[in-house]
Amino acid sequence: MSQFTSEDEALLQSMLRQLLQSVKEKITGAPSVECAEEILLHLEETDENFHNYEFVKYLRQYINNTVGSVIEEETEKCTSAQSQGEVSGYDTLVQHVTKKTRESKEYTEMMHALKNVMMVVVESLINKFEEDRMRNKELDSKPKKGRQSGYDTDNCSDSDSSFNQSYTFMSQEQLQLLVERFDPVQPKEVRQKALQTLCIAPPSDILNSESWPNLRKHLTMSLSDPDAAFSEKILRFYAKTFSSSPFNMTREVYTSLARHLELYFLSGEYSLRISAGLDVSNADVNRLLKKIRLLNEYQKEAPSSWIRHPEKYMEEVVESTLSLLSVKREPDHPASPDFLSPIYFLALLDIKAVWFKKWTHAYYSRTVVFRLLEKKYKSLINAAVQQCLDYFEFCKAAVNTNSKISEFSQQHCSDKQNFSYTGSELQHIYFVHSLCLLGRLLIYKQGRNLFPIKLKNKKDSVTVTDLLVLFTQLIYYFPSHQKTALTTQTESYSPASLAMEILQAFCDQAGCTAECLYTDAVIDALLHPVQSLLSGKEVYINCLETTLIDVADILARIAAVEDGLSFLLYGDGENEKTAKEDGPTAVHVIVQFTKKLLHDDISLLSGAEILPVVKGAFIFVCRQMYRTCEGLQMLIPYGLHESIGEAWKKTSLLSERVPTPVTGTDSTSSISLESKNILLWEETLLDALLNYSATSKGLFLLHGTGALNDCVNFMFSSLSKKLQTNEYEEFGNRVIVTQMATTPTGAVALQSSGFIKALVTELWALLECGKDDLRITQPKSTPVDPIDQSCQKSFLSLINLLTYPAVLELLSQQDIPNKPMYSFREVPTDITDIIDRLIILNSEAKIHSLFNYEQSHIFGLRLLNVLCCELNTLLLLETQYHVSQALLTAQAENVTETPEGPGDFIIDGLSVERNHVLVRINLIGGPQERILPLRELDKGSDPYPWPMFSSFPLPKCYLAEIPRKAELRQDKDLDKLLSLLKSPEKQSGWAEICRKQFCKVMKSRPDAISGKNGPNSTDYRRKMLTDAFCTGPFLRETKISSS
């Protein structure tokens, strides 16, 4: 079969055509010829039907018939050689057979024949393709009705209709001819045909060709063609290029489109004005919006790829964009102030400046953007600041005259589609875009370095602080839509919500917050409505309650940070003394206002529907302060805790008086809503009082309000519901539990609320029972760690709870049950039960009542190990429960049995843990005074080298040797005292008393101190002290008082 007949050629041609048709989609989707070749070369890896193609089957059969015998012969030779040790390994065998086969005469002849026949087959296919193409071209040249309207007039400029056509790979000569036909001087029909050919050509070939610079010029000029269908077809080509080509190619397309738009806005042909509004349904406006929309879509997508290309490519895109957006009329032009610039159109399509957010997200691009803004296009920032200032003055004037300025929100909140915008609506849209752009700009230090800026109509420069004050004032000088049924999308475009987003972002950025927000001007602007209400001045603010809630939200975010809290407490001063000299700081204004709110002393807010929400918001600001020692110290003189306590008592009485709703009455829904609001307000007050216990002084103040038990019950209810910690707080209620446990009354309140019972019950379920709602599909794995990971949280909770005051209150004069029998269903409920069931296991009944005896007992021993670190707790446990004797007894029982009697200790996890606890609780001192045995076992014949014991005294190996002589450090204070006492003129009355008492003790107990004589020995120092105290002039007898 080395020679092919004409029938074989026809068969191969048919099978090859079938293969190409099967992979047509993959080939036509390739951006270039090289990619198409790669797809065909790796077809076996990517196409699961590769071995089912007839062409592949034919080639496999042909190769097998031609060189199959050669492969079998070489394989037999290598196999015999491998058995003799000459060839080793499967890989070596395959390589050897492959090499010999390719060197064979049969393989050479086969490849030569295949090459010749495939050249004939491919040439025949190409000829048929050219014939079909010429036939189609002749058909296209015939006039057809409706040809002029044959272009797709899809409203979407980035339509992908061109992707449904097959690619035509073009040579450089064909591309050059295409460029010539696309010249604007050519007839319209010629240019249309050239455009049609351009749309079916691979964009990569077009952009990589030598003719692309000239073609780009022609395309840019053709975008202004009066024929809408023709220019839209070019836009479609641009869209296809953006979606299928890499950034290094598309940047040129983008810059050409941006340049075209820039020239169009500067030309005399463009004459749109802001005051005249904008009709989007107009054909020319619609075409312009499509072009800008295509730019905006590319602006959002480009940042994901431009980091992989040289910086100059990205700089071209950024500069062309900023140059377009900075377009404006000459100052002396009559229509200059009313010029509808490109930035308005971009704001219409991307009102929240998402493009700028993406461009400044990464440092790589952010640096370029800010550098160009500073050097060339600072006018863009100036215009945005000017727009914000002008719009603010407009809002402020409207609020003072009680007029309505929410035209944009009210007219565009309906579902009816609107195709026109008035001048004021365009100004509002540009204002929103500018506000979002400036908010993003000021987050970064490079952006803040662009300020201060100088505006034409302002005498002073505008600083970053001025802008932040402006954002703050927008919160209360622009009407809120709290009581209007608007959509969420419309509400998100209101100046108040946008300003809140910016200020909240500043609070989340620690660096810029400290630099920008912590200034007197910004805080004064925030507190302006609060101070006005305190002083009784008239307030021109729409929806005052919502404004106050927003102000409290920002203040709470500031107070949640250490630097922000310090600024609220002391202002620019570093301490309380400096703050008092400079006048009252923000904390005084906030606390006074909060107290007035609690006492309902503010007339403008009386009867407000959401007044409890306002109160809760400002209580939360104060709560952020009194959770710290410094903040609490500043708030104590105001007695805020007393005001909150009084408000809670009144609310609790109201909640008790709310009647139970009766079915069938008309007031059911209103009573139910009123009851819910009262209960919610009561929980808010309890939560505020509870957070006083975050500090010791605050816990004392909480005791004075009489609400301690109710607060603990509320906390236990919150923990039961597993409510998450507030986002502004560093810790939750579990830290408050630890603080509560440091006082006896707090421990009693925790026990009476059921918190301790719930904690012990949860621990027992984890140790012994497991989760009831867990479907057992496989056995539970045996714990490897001494305390299983599932029990660690409960372990830490017990440790935090069992401080000495809590232990004394919960265990004093409480005996352990020591029952003769324990049921498996008997669950511990308090700390005494934990000691009885997990620590002091002194009976068989206790041991047999545990499902996981070893794990549970180790948990108890570890708990005892930590509790005994507190000396008072250790003494209480020893005197009341004799824990040492219980552990020694358990060790004595844990030995092997021999004919002679008790043998060696059994080394297991429990004996090792008991040994460690016994050493810890019976030897006091640090690492230089005692040696604690390790809990790990060593490898080898002696896994546990530490001696175990079941009676006192302890082995001496656990006592550290006290360093002697040179190792004993010099006591400089004692040396100084000795030198002082040697000088008779410096002695005073206290020396007489010390001398007589020291001599008395040393004479009555001379053996109390031992050691060798030497300059650093104890005997030497004793002699020095004795000489100093007992020699010298005779001193008068002095009596020592009992104190």
Side-chain angles (χ1 to χ4, degrees):
M1 258 187 89
S2 59
Q3 300 297 327
F4 291 92
T5 63
S6 57
E7 290 80 4
D8 294 331
E9 293 179 2
L11 182 61
L12 277 172
Q13 183 175 338
S14 175
M15 290 187 293
L16 182 59
R17 181 187 292 273
Q18 180 188 8
L19 174 64
L20 292 176
Q21 287 178 349
S22 301
V23 298
K24 178 181 178 181
E25 294 183 1
K26 295 184 179 181
I27 298 177
T28 54
S32 63
V33 179
E34 293 79 5
C35 293
E37 291 179 357
E38 287 294 322
I39 291 174
L40 289 175
L41 288 175
H42 297 278
L43 194 61
E44 183 179 7
E45 304 171 6
T46 58
D47 193 343
E48 59 182 5
N49 297 319
F50 176 79
H51 293 283
N52 295 328
Y53 295 132
E54 295 298 328
F55 183 75
V56 177
K57 292 180 180 179
Y58 182 88
L59 285 181
R60 187 191 301 114
Q61 184 65 32
Y62 177 75
I63 294 172
N64 185 46
N65 295 337
T66 306
V67 296
S69 58
V70 179
I71 295 175
E72 292 177 0
E73 182 180 351
E74 292 297 332
T75 302
E76 291 178 0
K77 291 181 180 179
C78 289
T79 303
S80 59
Q82 185 176 2
S83 61
Q84 299 176 5
E86 297 178 6
V87 181
S88 62
Y90 175 78
D91 293 339
T92 307
L93 172 65
V94 173
Q95 293 173 2
H96 182 77
V97 172
T98 303
K99 180 181 179 183
K100 290 295 183 181
T101 303
R102 297 187 65 177
E103 293 175 353
S104 65
K105 179 182 178 183
E106 292 83 353
Y107 178 82
T108 305
E109 293 177 354
M110 179 192 70
M111 294 302 297
H112 182 70
L114 272 177
K115 184 177 181 180
N116 291 335
V117 71
M118 291 308 298
M119 289 177 63
V120 174
V121 170
V122 172
E123 185 176 357
S124 177
L125 284 175
I126 293 175
N127 291 335
K128 287 187 177 182
F129 174 77
E130 290 293 336
E131 291 175 4
D132 295 340
R133 185 166 173 270
M134 294 302 296
R135 189 181 301 110
N136 293 334
K137 186 175 182 181
E138 291 176 1
L139 292 175
D140 292 339
S141 63
K142 296 179 180 181
K144 293 184 179 180
K145 293 182 179 181
R147 188 70 183 211
Q148 287 77 7
S149 60
Y151 295 100
D152 186 7
T153 56
D154 190 355
N155 290 332
C156 182
S157 66
D158 58 351
S159 172
D160 61 345
S161 60
S162 59
F163 290 111
N164 297 325
Q165 306 175 18
S166 301
Y167 280 156
T168 300
F169 300 108
M170 305 177 67
S171 63
Q172 292 294 331
E173 293 77 11
Q174 292 173 317
L175 287 172
Q176 181 61 37
L177 180 61
L178 180 67
V179 173
E180 294 175 358
R181 291 178 178 178
F182 214 90
D183 195 300
V185 299
Q186 295 291 339
K188 183 177 180 180
E189 292 76 10
V190 175
R191 293 167 60 212
Q192 286 180 344
K193 290 183 180 296
L195 180 58
Q196 186 177 4
T197 306
L198 181 68
C199 288
I200 63 174
S204 58
D205 289 356
I206 301 294
L207 299 178
N208 284 324
S209 67
E210 298 176 356
S211 307
W212 165 244
N214 294 327
L215 179 60
R216 183 178 59 180
K217 295 179 183 178
H218 297 336
L219 288 173
T220 305
M221 296 176 64
S222 299
L223 283 171
S224 303
D225 195 282
D227 187 354
F230 186 74
S231 62
E232 191 167 322
K233 199 74 174 180
I234 298 176
L235 276 184
R236 200 168 292 118
F237 169 74
Y238 276 23
K240 183 178 71 172
T241 305
F242 287 152
S243 62
S244 62
S245 302
F247 176 75
N248 60 326
M249 299 180 182
T250 55
R251 63 182 174 87
E252 297 182 353
V253 180
Y254 177 87
T255 53
S256 67
L257 181 57
R259 181 58 180 167
H260 156 72
L261 289 170
E262 185 176 351
L263 294 175
Y264 173 72
F265 278 100
L266 291 173
S267 66
E269 180 184 354
Y270 178 76
S271 60
L272 295 178
R273 301 290 178 263
I274 299 175
S275 57
L278 188 67
D279 184 8
V280 181
S281 60
N282 181 274
D284 293 335
V285 175
N286 188 268
R287 288 172 56 189
L288 181 59
L289 282 173
K290 285 184 177 181
K291 295 174 183 178
I292 297 179
R293 173 178 167 240
L294 188 59
L295 281 182
N296 184 244
E297 292 297 326
Y298 183 80
Q299 290 166 358
K300 297 175 183 177
E301 295 297 329
S304 61
S305 59
W306 63 22
I307 194 173
R308 297 189 292 269
H309 298 275
E311 185 178 309
K312 64 178 182 179
Y313 293 171
M314 177 188 62
E315 190 168 347
E316 289 179 14
V317 172
V318 173
E319 186 164 10
S320 63
T321 303
L322 298 181
S323 178
L324 170 64
L325 298 181
S326 301
V327 168
K328 58 182 179 180
R329 294 289 190 185
E330 295 297 330
D332 55 351
H333 196 279
S336 178
D338 202 24
F339 177 66
L340 189 61
S341 61
I343 192 69
Y344 283 86
F345 290 90
L346 184 61
L348 272 171
L349 299 169
D350 188 6
I351 189 169
K352 286 198 170 184
V354 177
W355 68 273
F356 190 78
K357 179 180 179 180
K358 291 191 174 185
W359 281 20
T360 56
H361 177 70
Y363 180 82
Y364 175 76
S365 56
R366 183 166 66 240
T367 306
V368 175
V369 173
F370 289 148
R371 186 179 71 243
L372 290 174
L373 284 174
E374 183 179 11
K375 290 184 177 180
K376 294 184 178 180
Y377 305 104
K378 202 169 184 178
S379 60
L380 187 64
I381 306 301
N382 294 353
V385 174
Q386 186 66 58
Q387 178 68 13
C388 291
L389 291 173
D390 293 344
Y391 201 81
F392 168 71
E393 294 298 331
F394 172 63
C395 295
K396 185 177 179 181
V399 169
N400 291 336
T401 57
N402 294 322
S403 64
K404 302 295 183 182
I405 62 172
S406 54
E407 298 178 20
F408 176 79
S409 300
Q410 292 179 355
Q411 293 182 12
H412 289 267
C413 65
S414 62
D415 296 333
K416 184 178 179 181
Q417 190 173 7
N418 194 6
F419 292 100
S420 63
Y421 296 89
T422 64
S424 59
E425 291 172 352
L426 290 174
Q427 294 287 12
H428 176 83
I429 292 171
Y430 179 37
F431 161 73
V432 172
H433 186 273
S434 301
L435 195 62
C436 295
L437 187 145
L438 291 174
R440 188 70 183 179
L441 180 82
L442 295 178
I443 288 178
Y444 305 106
K445 185 177 180 180
Q446 294 169 299
R448 296 193 299 275
N449 289 339
L450 299 174
F451 291 84
I453 60 174
K454 184 69 177 176
L455 301 179
K456 294 181 180 179
N457 57 349
K458 271 188 79 71
K459 184 177 181 181
D460 299 328
S461 299
V462 179
T463 63
V464 174
T465 303
D466 295 333
L467 276 182
L468 290 177
V469 171
L470 170 66
F471 297 157
T472 304
Q473 292 173 338
L474 284 173
I475 296 175
Y476 48 85
Y477 274 128
F478 194 87
S480 176
H481 305 293
Q482 181 69 27
K483 299 181 181 179
T484 307
L486 293 176
T487 60
T488 305
Q489 182 179 4
T490 306
E491 177 66 18
S492 65
Y493 296 148
S494 69
S497 60
L498 293 172
M500 280 294 296
E501 290 179 9
I502 294 173
L503 293 176
Q504 288 169 355
F506 267 78
C507 293
D508 296 338
Q509 303 286 334
C512 71
T513 312
E515 183 177 343
C516 304
L517 276 185
Y518 304 156
T519 59
D520 291 333
V522 176
I523 300 300
D524 289 344
L526 273 174
L527 295 176
H528 170 70
V530 176
Q531 290 176 328
S532 299
L533 290 173
L534 280 175
S535 59
K537 297 180 181 178
E538 189 174 1
V539 182
Y540 296 100
I541 296 177
N542 289 320
C543 200
L544 180 59
E545 300 89 347
T546 307
T547 299
L548 292 174
I549 294 173
D550 292 339
V551 169
D553 179 79
I554 300 300
L555 290 173
R557 291 173 183 265
I558 294 175
V561 185
E562 184 178 356
D563 293 339
L565 177 61
S566 177
F567 187 84
L568 291 179
L569 295 178
Y570 308 120
D572 291 331
E574 298 179 356
N575 51 50
E576 188 176 358
K577 182 178 179 181
T578 309
K580 289 181 179 180
E581 293 175 356
D582 297 338
T585 55
V587 60
H588 302 286
V589 178
I590 296 170
V591 178
Q592 291 174 16
F593 182 71
T594 306
K595 287 197 65 176
K596 280 204 168 190
L597 282 175
L598 290 171
H599 295 153
D600 295 325
D601 287 344
I602 299 179
S603 58
L604 288 177
L605 295 175
S606 58
E609 183 180 352
I610 59 173
L611 180 59
V613 182
V614 179
K615 293 179 181 179
F618 276 90
I619 288 175
F620 186 77
V621 178
C622 297
R623 167 176 153 183
Q624 295 296 94
M625 292 186 270
Y626 64 64
R627 282 169 68 97
T628 64
C629 296
E630 291 181 346
L632 181 64
Q633 192 66 27
M634 296 282 283
L635 267 63
I636 285 178
Y638 293 94
L640 180 63
H641 62 286
E642 297 175 355
S643 300
I644 299 176
E646 293 174 3
W648 167 74
K649 291 177 182 177
K650 293 180 182 178
T651 308
S652 61
L653 291 176
L654 288 176
S655 63
E656 294 174 359
R657 295 174 183 175
V658 172
T660 304
V662 180
T663 307
T665 59
D666 296 336
S667 60
T668 302
S669 58
S670 61
I671 292 176
S672 177
L673 179 60
E674 180 185 1
S675 175
K676 289 180 180 179
N677 291 335
I678 291 175
L679 291 176
L680 182 61
W681 175 232
E682 183 181 8
E683 290 179 355
T684 302
L685 294 172
L686 283 175
D687 195 18
L689 288 172
L690 176 64
N691 279 270
Y692 267 98
S693 59
T695 60
S696 302
K697 183 67 174 179
L699 184 58
F700 173 76
L701 297 176
L702 178 59
H703 279 292
T705 62
L708 177 62
N709 291 330
D710 294 272
C711 289
V712 174
N713 290 331
F714 168 74
M715 179 187 66
F716 175 52
S717 175
S718 301
L719 289 174
S720 301
K721 297 175 184 177
K722 297 182 179 180
L723 300 178
Q724 294 185 355
T725 305
N726 192 287
E727 60 178 326
Y728 308 130
E729 298 172 349
E730 296 180 0
F731 51 83
N733 288 332
R734 296 192 179 274
V735 176
I736 295 179
V737 171
T738 307
Q739 192 68 38
M740 285 276 189
T742 58
T743 61
T745 53
V748 172
L750 289 171
Q751 187 175 33
S752 61
S753 68
F755 174 79
I756 296 178
K757 180 180 179 180
L759 179 61
V760 173
T761 304
E762 180 184 6
L763 168 64
W764 192 261
L766 293 172
L767 282 174
E768 290 293 316
C769 306
K771 296 182 179 179
D772 295 336
D773 58 347
L774 182 64
R775 183 179 178 182
I776 301 176
T777 56
Q778 58 184 4
K780 185 179 178 181
S781 59
T782 303
V784 178
D785 299 327
I787 298 179
D788 190 57
Q789 187 175 2
S790 62
C791 304
Q792 289 180 1
K793 186 176 181 180
S794 299
F795 181 81
L796 294 176
S797 299
L798 279 175
I799 294 301
N800 293 332
L801 172 67
L802 296 177
T803 61
Y804 175 68
V807 170
L808 180 63
E809 195 66 33
L810 299 175
L811 298 181
S812 179
Q813 298 180 356
Q814 297 288 330
D815 296 331
I816 57 176
N818 280 327
K819 298 180 182 179
M821 182 177 296
Y822 292 87
S823 170
F824 287 119
R825 296 183 178 275
E826 190 174 349
V827 178
T829 58
D830 54 21
I831 304 302
T832 307
D833 291 341
I834 289 292
I835 295 176
D836 181 48
R837 303 289 300 276
L838 297 182
I839 297 178
I840 305 180
L841 300 181
N842 52 3
S843 67
E844 293 291 331
K846 295 181 181 180
I847 296 175
H848 293 321
S849 67
L850 298 175
F851 288 106
N852 304 310
Y853 162 63
E854 185 171 352
Q855 179 189 356
S856 299
H857 192 22
I858 287 180
F859 181 94
L861 292 174
R862 288 290 177 108
L863 179 63
L864 176 64
N865 185 62
V866 178
L867 293 180
C868 290
C869 293
E870 166 65 47
L871 184 58
N872 293 323
T873 303
L874 171 60
L875 294 175
L876 187 146
L877 294 176
E878 273 292 333
T879 56
Q880 194 161 311
Y881 302 122
H882 310 289
V883 290
S884 294
Q885 188 58 46
L887 295 179
L888 289 173
T889 304
Q891 289 290 76
E893 295 174 354
N894 192 39
V895 295
T896 58
E897 294 183 1
T898 61
E900 294 79 11
D904 298 331
F905 288 98
I906 298 175
I907 299 175
D908 56 12
L910 291 175
S911 61
V912 170
E913 192 67 39
R914 282 193 292 260
N915 193 53
H916 181 91
V917 175
L918 282 168
V919 174
R920 178 182 290 276
I921 65 179
N922 286 284
L923 289 180
I924 299 175
Q928 294 184 351
E929 298 168 291
R930 66 177 178 182
I931 301 175
L932 295 176
L934 301 178
R935 295 186 174 102
E936 293 85 9
L937 299 181
D938 298 333
K939 295 181 180 180
S941 58
D942 189 10
Y944 191 73
W946 304 95
M948 292 188 179
F949 56 95
S950 58
S951 62
F952 294 120
L954 276 67
K956 292 185 178 181
C957 63
Y958 296 118
L959 293 171
E961 295 184 3
I962 300 177
R964 302 286 183 179
K965 297 183 180 180
E967 297 178 2
L968 189 65
R969 294 182 298 177
Q970 293 280 352
D971 194 337
K972 296 182 180 180
D973 293 335
L974 182 58
D975 294 338
K976 187 177 181 180
L977 177 61
L978 293 175
S979 61
L980 178 65
L981 295 177
K982 283 184 177 181
S983 303
E985 66 277 3
K986 294 183 180 180
Q987 295 182 8
S988 57
W990 67 269
E992 294 181 15
I993 302 172
C994 289
R995 182 183 297 113
K996 295 186 67 175
Q997 291 301 313
F998 188 82
C999 293
K1000 182 179 179 181
V1001 172
M1002 294 301 295
K1003 290 178 180 179
S1004 62
R1005 298 178 60 190
D1007 300 329
I1009 302 177
S1010 61
K1012 298 181 179 180
N1013 294 327
N1016 295 324
S1017 65
T1018 307
D1019 290 342
Y1020 177 79
R1021 293 179 181 270
R1022 182 183 62 181
K1023 182 176 183 300
M1024 291 288 293
L1025 285 172
T1026 304
D1027 293 341
F1029 285 123
C1030 300
T1031 59
F1034 177 79
L1035 298 175
R1036 183 172 54 86
E1037 188 80 7
T1038 305
K1039 294 184 180 180
I1040 303 177
S1041 63
S1042 59
S1043 60

